[in-house]
mmCIF file of all heavy atoms in Angstrom:
data_model
loop_
_atom_site.group_PDB
_atom_site.id
_atom_site.type_symbol
_atom_site.label_atom_id
_atom_site.label_comp_id
_atom_site.label_asym_id
_atom_site.label_seq_id
_atom_site.Cartn_x
_atom_site.Cartn_y
_atom_site.Cartn_z
ATOM 1 N N TYR A 22 9.298 -14.153 -20.548
ATOM 2 C CA TYR A 22 9.295 -13.862 -21.986
ATOM 3 C C TYR A 22 8.326 -14.769 -22.750
ATOM 4 O O TYR A 22 8.505 -15.017 -23.939
ATOM 5 C CB TYR A 22 10.714 -13.979 -22.540
ATOM 6 C CG TYR A 22 11.544 -12.766 -22.212
ATOM 7 C CD1 TYR A 22 12.286 -12.701 -21.038
ATOM 8 C CD2 TYR A 22 11.555 -11.651 -23.052
ATOM 9 C CE1 TYR A 22 13.036 -11.577 -20.727
ATOM 10 C CE2 TYR A 22 12.297 -10.527 -22.747
ATOM 11 C CZ TYR A 22 13.036 -10.492 -21.581
ATOM 12 O OH TYR A 22 13.768 -9.358 -21.283
ATOM 13 N N TRP A 23 7.297 -15.240 -22.058
ATOM 14 C CA TRP A 23 6.226 -16.016 -22.680
ATOM 15 C C TRP A 23 5.553 -15.140 -23.725
ATOM 16 O O TRP A 23 5.272 -13.965 -23.498
ATOM 17 C CB TRP A 23 5.241 -16.408 -21.597
ATOM 18 C CG TRP A 23 4.284 -17.511 -21.928
ATOM 19 C CD1 TRP A 23 4.118 -18.150 -23.115
ATOM 20 C CD2 TRP A 23 3.361 -18.111 -21.017
ATOM 21 N NE1 TRP A 23 3.150 -19.105 -23.013
ATOM 22 C CE2 TRP A 23 2.671 -19.104 -21.728
ATOM 23 C CE3 TRP A 23 3.057 -17.900 -19.679
ATOM 24 C CZ2 TRP A 23 1.675 -19.888 -21.148
ATOM 25 C CZ3 TRP A 23 2.073 -18.681 -19.096
ATOM 26 C CH2 TRP A 23 1.400 -19.665 -19.822
ATOM 27 N N LEU A 24 5.263 -15.695 -24.879
ATOM 28 C CA LEU A 24 4.621 -14.917 -25.945
ATOM 29 C C LEU A 24 3.264 -14.385 -25.506
ATOM 30 O O LEU A 24 2.838 -13.301 -25.942
ATOM 31 C CB LEU A 24 4.483 -15.769 -27.209
ATOM 32 C CG LEU A 24 5.806 -16.106 -27.919
ATOM 33 C CD1 LEU A 24 5.547 -17.017 -29.117
ATOM 34 C CD2 LEU A 24 6.526 -14.839 -28.362
ATOM 35 N N LEU A 25 2.567 -15.132 -24.639
ATOM 36 C CA LEU A 25 1.277 -14.652 -24.147
ATOM 37 C C LEU A 25 1.450 -13.441 -23.229
ATOM 38 O O LEU A 25 0.615 -12.534 -23.221
ATOM 39 C CB LEU A 25 0.542 -15.773 -23.412
ATOM 40 C CG LEU A 25 0.117 -16.959 -24.290
ATOM 41 C CD1 LEU A 25 -0.538 -18.029 -23.437
ATOM 42 C CD2 LEU A 25 -0.833 -16.504 -25.392
ATOM 43 N N GLU A 26 2.522 -13.434 -22.444
ATOM 44 C CA GLU A 26 2.809 -12.267 -21.620
ATOM 45 C C GLU A 26 3.166 -11.073 -22.502
ATOM 46 O O GLU A 26 2.765 -9.943 -22.247
ATOM 47 C CB GLU A 26 3.959 -12.558 -20.652
ATOM 48 C CG GLU A 26 3.571 -13.349 -19.426
ATOM 49 C CD GLU A 26 2.633 -12.595 -18.497
ATOM 50 O OE1 GLU A 26 2.679 -11.348 -18.462
ATOM 51 O OE2 GLU A 26 1.844 -13.256 -17.805
ATOM 52 N N GLU A 27 3.932 -11.331 -23.552
ATOM 53 C CA GLU A 27 4.301 -10.269 -24.481
ATOM 54 C C GLU A 27 3.062 -9.693 -25.156
ATOM 55 O O GLU A 27 2.935 -8.463 -25.309
ATOM 56 C CB GLU A 27 5.274 -10.804 -25.534
ATOM 57 C CG GLU A 27 5.700 -9.777 -26.581
ATOM 58 C CD GLU A 27 6.563 -8.669 -26.032
ATOM 59 O OE1 GLU A 27 7.073 -8.810 -24.896
ATOM 60 O OE2 GLU A 27 6.729 -7.654 -26.739
ATOM 61 N N ALA A 28 2.134 -10.563 -25.527
ATOM 62 C CA ALA A 28 0.898 -10.098 -26.156
ATOM 63 C C ALA A 28 0.105 -9.216 -25.189
ATOM 64 O O ALA A 28 -0.494 -8.206 -25.588
ATOM 65 C CB ALA A 28 0.055 -11.293 -26.602
ATOM 66 N N LYS A 29 0.107 -9.589 -23.912
ATOM 67 C CA LYS A 29 -0.578 -8.783 -22.895
ATOM 68 C C LYS A 29 0.059 -7.401 -22.792
ATOM 69 O O LYS A 29 -0.631 -6.384 -22.690
ATOM 70 C CB LYS A 29 -0.524 -9.500 -21.546
ATOM 71 C CG LYS A 29 -1.366 -8.842 -20.457
ATOM 72 C CD LYS A 29 -1.139 -9.493 -19.100
ATOM 73 C CE LYS A 29 -1.572 -10.930 -19.074
ATOM 74 N NZ LYS A 29 -1.461 -11.493 -17.691
ATOM 75 N N LEU A 30 1.392 -7.345 -22.829
ATOM 76 C CA LEU A 30 2.093 -6.068 -22.762
ATOM 77 C C LEU A 30 1.773 -5.207 -23.984
ATOM 78 O O LEU A 30 1.624 -3.989 -23.883
ATOM 79 C CB LEU A 30 3.602 -6.292 -22.667
ATOM 80 C CG LEU A 30 4.122 -6.924 -21.370
ATOM 81 C CD1 LEU A 30 5.620 -7.198 -21.488
ATOM 82 C CD2 LEU A 30 3.848 -6.031 -20.169
ATOM 83 N N GLN A 31 1.676 -5.849 -25.140
ATOM 84 C CA GLN A 31 1.404 -5.102 -26.370
ATOM 85 C C GLN A 31 -0.014 -4.534 -26.389
ATOM 86 O O GLN A 31 -0.287 -3.565 -27.108
ATOM 87 C CB GLN A 31 1.617 -6.006 -27.592
ATOM 88 C CG GLN A 31 3.060 -6.455 -27.787
ATOM 89 C CD GLN A 31 4.032 -5.295 -27.930
ATOM 90 O OE1 GLN A 31 3.720 -4.282 -28.538
ATOM 91 N NE2 GLN A 31 5.225 -5.445 -27.342
ATOM 92 N N ARG A 32 -0.913 -5.136 -25.589
ATOM 93 C CA ARG A 32 -2.293 -4.646 -25.529
ATOM 94 C C ARG A 32 -2.457 -3.481 -24.565
ATOM 95 O O ARG A 32 -3.517 -2.880 -24.493
ATOM 96 C CB ARG A 32 -3.245 -5.781 -25.105
ATOM 97 C CG ARG A 32 -3.438 -6.875 -26.130
ATOM 98 C CD ARG A 32 -4.646 -7.725 -25.802
ATOM 99 N NE ARG A 32 -4.555 -8.391 -24.511
ATOM 100 C CZ ARG A 32 -4.046 -9.607 -24.327
ATOM 101 N NH1 ARG A 32 -3.584 -10.289 -25.367
ATOM 102 N NH2 ARG A 32 -4.011 -10.144 -23.122
ATOM 103 N N MET A 33 -1.405 -3.166 -23.828
ATOM 104 C CA MET A 33 -1.502 -2.064 -22.870
ATOM 105 C C MET A 33 -1.777 -0.758 -23.610
ATOM 106 O O MET A 33 -1.262 -0.527 -24.706
ATOM 107 C CB MET A 33 -0.205 -1.940 -22.071
ATOM 108 C CG MET A 33 0.122 -3.154 -21.218
ATOM 109 S SD MET A 33 -0.996 -3.357 -19.831
ATOM 110 C CE MET A 33 -0.442 -2.039 -18.766
ATOM 111 N N PRO A 34 -2.609 0.108 -23.037
ATOM 112 C CA PRO A 34 -2.901 1.379 -23.710
ATOM 113 C C PRO A 34 -1.658 2.251 -23.858
ATOM 114 O O PRO A 34 -0.714 2.152 -23.065
ATOM 115 C CB PRO A 34 -3.931 2.036 -22.783
ATOM 116 C CG PRO A 34 -3.753 1.374 -21.460
ATOM 117 C CD PRO A 34 -3.318 -0.020 -21.755
ATOM 118 N N LYS A 35 -1.669 3.094 -24.863
ATOM 119 C CA LYS A 35 -0.556 4.002 -25.109
ATOM 120 C C LYS A 35 -0.388 4.942 -23.923
ATOM 121 O O LYS A 35 -1.366 5.430 -23.356
ATOM 122 C CB LYS A 35 -0.815 4.811 -26.382
ATOM 123 C CG LYS A 35 0.309 5.761 -26.756
ATOM 124 C CD LYS A 35 -0.035 6.547 -28.021
ATOM 125 C CE LYS A 35 1.063 7.534 -28.374
ATOM 126 N NZ LYS A 35 0.723 8.331 -29.576
ATOM 127 N N GLU A 36 0.852 5.194 -23.550
ATOM 128 C CA GLU A 36 1.114 6.074 -22.413
ATOM 129 C C GLU A 36 0.751 7.522 -22.754
ATOM 130 O O GLU A 36 0.861 7.962 -23.892
ATOM 131 C CB GLU A 36 2.575 5.980 -21.985
ATOM 132 C CG GLU A 36 2.931 4.624 -21.386
ATOM 133 C CD GLU A 36 4.324 4.604 -20.781
ATOM 134 O OE1 GLU A 36 4.781 5.664 -20.302
ATOM 135 O OE2 GLU A 36 4.954 3.536 -20.787
ATOM 136 N N GLN A 37 0.328 8.256 -21.727
ATOM 137 C CA GLN A 37 -0.045 9.659 -21.905
ATOM 138 C C GLN A 37 1.205 10.534 -22.061
ATOM 139 O O GLN A 37 2.320 10.117 -21.726
ATOM 140 C CB GLN A 37 -0.873 10.116 -20.705
ATOM 141 C CG GLN A 37 -2.217 9.413 -20.596
ATOM 142 C CD GLN A 37 -2.946 9.799 -19.319
ATOM 143 O OE1 GLN A 37 -2.650 9.285 -18.246
ATOM 144 N NE2 GLN A 37 -3.899 10.720 -19.433
ATOM 145 N N PRO A 38 1.028 11.750 -22.562
ATOM 146 C CA PRO A 38 2.194 12.608 -22.851
ATOM 147 C C PRO A 38 3.112 12.840 -21.661
ATOM 148 O O PRO A 38 4.328 12.939 -21.831
ATOM 149 C CB PRO A 38 1.549 13.917 -23.320
ATOM 150 C CG PRO A 38 0.211 13.524 -23.843
ATOM 151 C CD PRO A 38 -0.236 12.367 -23.008
ATOM 152 N N LEU A 39 2.543 12.943 -20.454
ATOM 153 C CA LEU A 39 3.367 13.242 -19.283
ATOM 154 C C LEU A 39 3.540 12.030 -18.370
ATOM 155 O O LEU A 39 3.964 12.181 -17.210
ATOM 156 C CB LEU A 39 2.777 14.417 -18.493
ATOM 157 C CG LEU A 39 2.698 15.750 -19.247
ATOM 158 C CD1 LEU A 39 2.166 16.846 -18.340
ATOM 159 C CD2 LEU A 39 4.057 16.149 -19.815
ATOM 160 N N SER A 40 3.250 10.837 -18.874
ATOM 161 C CA SER A 40 3.540 9.638 -18.103
ATOM 162 C C SER A 40 5.027 9.606 -17.772
ATOM 163 O O SER A 40 5.852 10.081 -18.549
ATOM 164 C CB SER A 40 3.177 8.387 -18.907
ATOM 165 O OG SER A 40 1.786 8.266 -19.034
ATOM 166 N N ARG A 41 5.349 9.066 -16.617
ATOM 167 C CA ARG A 41 6.735 8.937 -16.134
ATOM 168 C C ARG A 41 7.323 10.268 -15.681
ATOM 169 O O ARG A 41 8.520 10.357 -15.413
ATOM 170 C CB ARG A 41 7.637 8.282 -17.190
ATOM 171 C CG ARG A 41 7.152 6.915 -17.676
ATOM 172 C CD ARG A 41 7.981 6.418 -18.842
ATOM 173 N NE ARG A 41 7.520 5.132 -19.349
ATOM 174 C CZ ARG A 41 8.017 3.947 -18.999
ATOM 175 N NH1 ARG A 41 9.004 3.895 -18.126
ATOM 176 N NH2 ARG A 41 7.544 2.828 -19.508
ATOM 177 N N LYS A 42 6.486 11.323 -15.588
ATOM 178 C CA LYS A 42 6.961 12.629 -15.140
ATOM 179 C C LYS A 42 6.424 12.945 -13.744
ATOM 180 O O LYS A 42 5.318 12.544 -13.383
ATOM 181 C CB LYS A 42 6.510 13.739 -16.094
ATOM 182 C CG LYS A 42 6.956 13.562 -17.535
ATOM 183 C CD LYS A 42 8.457 13.702 -17.687
ATOM 184 C CE LYS A 42 8.874 13.662 -19.152
ATOM 185 N NZ LYS A 42 10.350 13.699 -19.305
ATOM 186 N N VAL A 43 7.215 13.703 -12.987
ATOM 187 C CA VAL A 43 6.808 14.172 -11.667
ATOM 188 C C VAL A 43 6.804 15.697 -11.697
ATOM 189 O O VAL A 43 7.806 16.316 -12.063
ATOM 190 C CB VAL A 43 7.768 13.682 -10.569
ATOM 191 C CG1 VAL A 43 7.285 14.154 -9.199
ATOM 192 C CG2 VAL A 43 7.900 12.162 -10.597
ATOM 193 N N ALA A 44 5.660 16.284 -11.319
ATOM 194 C CA ALA A 44 5.524 17.742 -11.352
ATOM 195 C C ALA A 44 5.255 18.273 -9.954
ATOM 196 O O ALA A 44 4.392 17.753 -9.239
ATOM 197 C CB ALA A 44 4.383 18.143 -12.289
ATOM 198 N N LEU A 45 5.979 19.306 -9.562
ATOM 199 C CA LEU A 45 5.730 19.998 -8.304
ATOM 200 C C LEU A 45 5.175 21.375 -8.630
ATOM 201 O O LEU A 45 5.772 22.120 -9.418
ATOM 202 C CB LEU A 45 7.014 20.106 -7.484
ATOM 203 C CG LEU A 45 6.882 20.743 -6.099
ATOM 204 C CD1 LEU A 45 7.796 20.047 -5.085
ATOM 205 C CD2 LEU A 45 7.205 22.247 -6.130
ATOM 206 N N VAL A 46 4.020 21.693 -8.030
ATOM 207 C CA VAL A 46 3.334 22.947 -8.325
ATOM 208 C C VAL A 46 3.145 23.721 -7.031
ATOM 209 O O VAL A 46 2.565 23.206 -6.064
ATOM 210 C CB VAL A 46 1.960 22.691 -8.982
ATOM 211 C CG1 VAL A 46 1.291 24.017 -9.348
ATOM 212 C CG2 VAL A 46 2.104 21.812 -10.220
ATOM 213 N N THR A 47 3.638 24.958 -6.985
ATOM 214 C CA THR A 47 3.412 25.797 -5.808
ATOM 215 C C THR A 47 2.069 26.510 -5.956
ATOM 216 O O THR A 47 1.553 26.694 -7.060
ATOM 217 C CB THR A 47 4.531 26.832 -5.632
ATOM 218 O OG1 THR A 47 4.494 27.778 -6.709
ATOM 219 C CG2 THR A 47 5.893 26.154 -5.580
ATOM 220 N N GLY A 48 1.506 26.889 -4.815
ATOM 221 C CA GLY A 48 0.201 27.558 -4.841
ATOM 222 C C GLY A 48 -0.893 26.662 -5.361
ATOM 223 O O GLY A 48 -1.877 27.137 -5.951
ATOM 224 N N ALA A 49 -0.764 25.353 -5.135
ATOM 225 C CA ALA A 49 -1.689 24.380 -5.735
ATOM 226 C C ALA A 49 -2.878 24.069 -4.850
ATOM 227 O O ALA A 49 -3.655 23.160 -5.156
ATOM 228 C CB ALA A 49 -0.940 23.086 -6.064
ATOM 229 N N GLY A 50 -3.058 24.818 -3.761
ATOM 230 C CA GLY A 50 -4.217 24.586 -2.910
ATOM 231 C C GLY A 50 -5.514 25.068 -3.526
ATOM 232 O O GLY A 50 -6.602 24.773 -3.027
ATOM 233 N N GLY A 51 -5.433 25.800 -4.622
ATOM 234 C CA GLY A 51 -6.636 26.296 -5.291
ATOM 235 C C GLY A 51 -6.260 27.175 -6.457
ATOM 236 O O GLY A 51 -5.076 27.352 -6.776
ATOM 237 N N GLY A 52 -7.254 27.745 -7.112
ATOM 238 C CA GLY A 52 -7.031 28.704 -8.177
ATOM 239 C C GLY A 52 -6.211 28.179 -9.339
ATOM 240 O O GLY A 52 -6.352 27.024 -9.761
ATOM 241 N N ILE A 53 -5.315 29.021 -9.848
ATOM 242 C CA ILE A 53 -4.513 28.679 -11.018
ATOM 243 C C ILE A 53 -3.611 27.481 -10.731
ATOM 244 O O ILE A 53 -3.460 26.580 -11.566
ATOM 245 C CB ILE A 53 -3.687 29.901 -11.469
ATOM 246 C CG1 ILE A 53 -4.611 30.984 -12.046
ATOM 247 C CG2 ILE A 53 -2.651 29.499 -12.522
ATOM 248 C CD1 ILE A 53 -3.915 32.294 -12.369
ATOM 249 N N GLY A 54 -2.996 27.432 -9.546
ATOM 250 C CA GLY A 54 -2.100 26.325 -9.212
ATOM 251 C C GLY A 54 -2.795 24.986 -9.254
ATOM 252 O O GLY A 54 -2.260 24.008 -9.789
ATOM 253 N N LYS A 55 -3.995 24.909 -8.685
ATOM 254 C CA LYS A 55 -4.739 23.645 -8.695
ATOM 255 C C LYS A 55 -5.142 23.273 -10.124
ATOM 256 O O LYS A 55 -5.078 22.093 -10.508
ATOM 257 C CB LYS A 55 -5.994 23.767 -7.820
ATOM 258 C CG LYS A 55 -6.888 22.514 -7.799
ATOM 259 C CD LYS A 55 -6.163 21.289 -7.262
ATOM 260 C CE LYS A 55 -7.102 20.162 -6.862
ATOM 261 N NZ LYS A 55 -7.936 19.626 -7.912
ATOM 262 N N ALA A 56 -5.534 24.254 -10.925
ATOM 263 C CA ALA A 56 -5.895 23.979 -12.320
ATOM 264 C C ALA A 56 -4.697 23.421 -13.085
ATOM 265 O O ALA A 56 -4.838 22.503 -13.905
ATOM 266 C CB ALA A 56 -6.415 25.245 -12.994
ATOM 267 N N ILE A 57 -3.519 23.954 -12.815
ATOM 268 C CA ILE A 57 -2.301 23.454 -13.473
ATOM 269 C C ILE A 57 -2.022 22.021 -13.040
ATOM 270 O O ILE A 57 -1.740 21.146 -13.877
ATOM 271 C CB ILE A 57 -1.102 24.366 -13.135
ATOM 272 C CG1 ILE A 57 -1.276 25.731 -13.804
ATOM 273 C CG2 ILE A 57 0.209 23.721 -13.581
ATOM 274 C CD1 ILE A 57 -0.299 26.784 -13.314
ATOM 275 N N ALA A 58 -2.107 21.758 -11.734
ATOM 276 C CA ALA A 58 -1.883 20.391 -11.241
ATOM 277 C C ALA A 58 -2.890 19.426 -11.850
ATOM 278 O O ALA A 58 -2.538 18.302 -12.247
ATOM 279 C CB ALA A 58 -1.969 20.369 -9.719
ATOM 280 N N ASP A 59 -4.139 19.849 -11.948
ATOM 281 C CA ASP A 59 -5.183 18.998 -12.548
ATOM 282 C C ASP A 59 -4.844 18.649 -13.990
ATOM 283 O O ASP A 59 -4.985 17.500 -14.426
ATOM 284 C CB ASP A 59 -6.542 19.702 -12.509
ATOM 285 C CG ASP A 59 -7.154 19.750 -11.118
ATOM 286 O OD1 ASP A 59 -6.655 19.036 -10.222
ATOM 287 O OD2 ASP A 59 -8.132 20.499 -10.934
#
């Protein structure tokens, strides 16, 4: 809980909308499925 460590944490970039999510996509070897996974 060092203030310098806290400052480092506060400088971390904002998380993306789907951060912390796990997605399983069928048919993802190419085409629409791969585009969705991307």
Side-chain angles (χ1 to χ4, degrees):
Y22 282 90
W23 197 355
L24 291 177
L25 294 177
E26 281 294 331
E27 179 68 14
K29 188 187 296 186
L30 292 175
Q31 295 302 323
R32 290 196 300 269
M33 297 291 287
K35 182 181 178 182
E36 292 188 30
Q37 294 175 280
L39 298 183
S40 290
R41 304 172 181 264
K42 302 292 186 184
V43 182
L45 183 143
V46 183
T47 67
I53 291 173
K55 178 61 164 60
I57 291 168
D59 287 347

